[in-house]
Amino acid sequence: MTCMGLIAIMSAMPEENAGLLRDLSVTESFEAGKRTYHRGLLYGQEVVLVCSRWGKVAAAATVAHLLAKYPIEELIFTGVAGAVAPSLKVGDVVIGSELLQHDLDPRPLFSRYEIPLLGSTHLKADLECTKALEHAVVEFLSHLRTSPEWARSRAEFALDEARVRSGLIVSGDRFFQSLEEISRLRNELPDALCVEMEGAAVAQVCTEHGIRFSVVRTISDAGDDNAHQDFSRFIQEVASAYSTGIVRKLLEGRR
Ligand code: ADE
């Protein structure tokens, strides 16, 4: 698929998009609301790159600002997530075919997880974008498995078997850090693959504005009692290289 228009690339934390920022030929930087919006050329494609900061409010505010200021045609959110499906391991990649807010509960006026007045619980990502992302992730993971530059991280994080899955990503304003909490979430939403803190908010604003979006998340932890140590180590050492590698394969594939 080709997209000749402007693409927004977002992540929640500077650690997640540091590599992308290094590779971006910046033509203009704009500051608003404690965020810096960098516009420029990335792997042959015109983009705006921005960190939303953590959580649903921060993510929604950033998307609203992006859409008001720039003629964005498509938005890609990249970052890390905690595993909900027990089969997912650190280093696996999840592409969100659908997104849901696990902490939204407007009962009894609407059903559980339903976004009032939108009439949906699950929001669908753009099919073409998610297919293109899946292709890019498969290529990136095969590079990761064979490339000498990844040897140390492969050994340290046991990345040899890293795989890609597509499915439900759930979001909410909470960092999961105990086996009890993550097990409860798994029981409540048995289809959820992973949990993070922004994707479904981005999905809601993009859906309301008719903007194509996709969300790609690398598993950094299992949302259990070790989550905060595993998360910090992954964020410091490999999260940026994953985001850079995946977005690079995606954008280069569109030239
Ligand atoms: N993002 C990465 N790990 C997470 C976790 N354990 N809970 C919520 N969001 C996360």
Side-chain angles (χ1 to χ4, degrees):
M1 186 187 64
T2 51
C3 174
M4 303 315 288
L6 192 58
I7 300 180
I9 301 185
M10 279 176 71
S11 53
M13 305 170 64
E15 291 88 338
E16 290 164 324
N17 81 1
L20 291 171
L21 188 55
R22 250 191 328 265
D23 288 351
L24 180 71
S25 303
V26 179
T27 53
E28 170 200 313
S29 291
F30 178 79
E31 298 218 358
K34 300 192 189 296
R35 286 132 178 92
T36 308
Y37 299 79
H38 299 284
R39 186 169 181 167
L41 205 62
L42 184 67
Y43 315 128
Q45 173 72 53
E46 246 217 297
V47 306
V48 180
L49 184 67
V50 64
C51 268
S52 64
R53 300 170 162 239
W54 291 40
K56 294 193 302 176
V57 173
T62 309
V63 179
H65 188 83
L66 263 173
L67 299 186
K69 179 161 171 70
Y70 301 96
I72 302 292
E73 287 197 358
E74 178 189 343
L75 188 149
I76 302 163
F77 197 102
T78 164
V80 298
V84 179
S87 59
L88 283 169
K89 304 280 175 276
V90 167
D92 287 344
V93 179
V94 176
I95 295 168
S97 55
E98 293 186 303
L99 292 104
L100 171 146
Q101 296 175 48
H102 65 74
D103 56 356
L104 178 57
D105 191 353
R107 289 176 297 181
L109 302 171
F110 298 90
S111 58
R112 190 166 185 194
Y113 309 121
E114 182 176 341
I115 303 167
L117 311 187
L118 207 57
S120 321
T121 52
H122 297 60
L123 297 179
K124 283 194 192 317
D126 183 83
L127 194 59
E128 244 187 297
C129 299
T130 53
K131 282 220 171 98
L133 253 181
E134 205 168 318
H135 191 72
V137 174
V138 167
E139 279 194 2
F140 166 71
L141 290 178
S142 97
H143 167 76
L144 178 154
R145 267 183 229 110
T146 51
S147 153
E149 86 201 46
W150 275 93
R152 201 177 64 84
S153 303
R154 270 202 309 269
E156 197 175 327
F157 291 91
L159 303 177
D160 281 309
E161 308 286 313
R163 292 177 313 149
V164 60
R165 296 268 301 274
S166 263
L168 177 63
I169 295 180
V170 298
S171 316
D173 287 318
R174 174 190 199 117
F175 185 85
F176 283 77
Q177 49 155 341
S178 81
L179 189 57
E180 191 189 332
E181 274 182 286
I182 203 79
S183 306
R184 195 175 317 124
L185 182 66
R186 200 176 284 149
N187 288 338
E188 285 170 357
L189 290 162
D191 293 339
L193 293 180
C194 66
V195 63
E196 36 84 312
M197 300 174 68
E198 297 83 20
V202 170
Q204 179 174 342
V205 181
C206 285
T207 301
E208 288 170 347
H209 286 263
I211 298 293
R212 300 187 292 145
F213 71 90
S214 51
V215 178
V216 56
R217 294 284 191 173
T218 305
I219 301 300
S220 56
D221 62 88
D224 59 8
D225 304 66
N226 299 321
H228 66 287
Q229 286 109 325
D230 294 345
F231 169 87
S232 302
R233 215 160 63 91
F234 196 86
I235 276 286
Q236 274 156 27
E237 297 186 32
V238 274
S240 164
Y242 257 79
S243 289
T244 308
I246 293 167
V247 171
R248 180 179 201 140
K249 293 275 181 213
L250 179 75
L251 298 187
E252 286 183 347
R254 287 177 176 189
R255 281 202 301 214

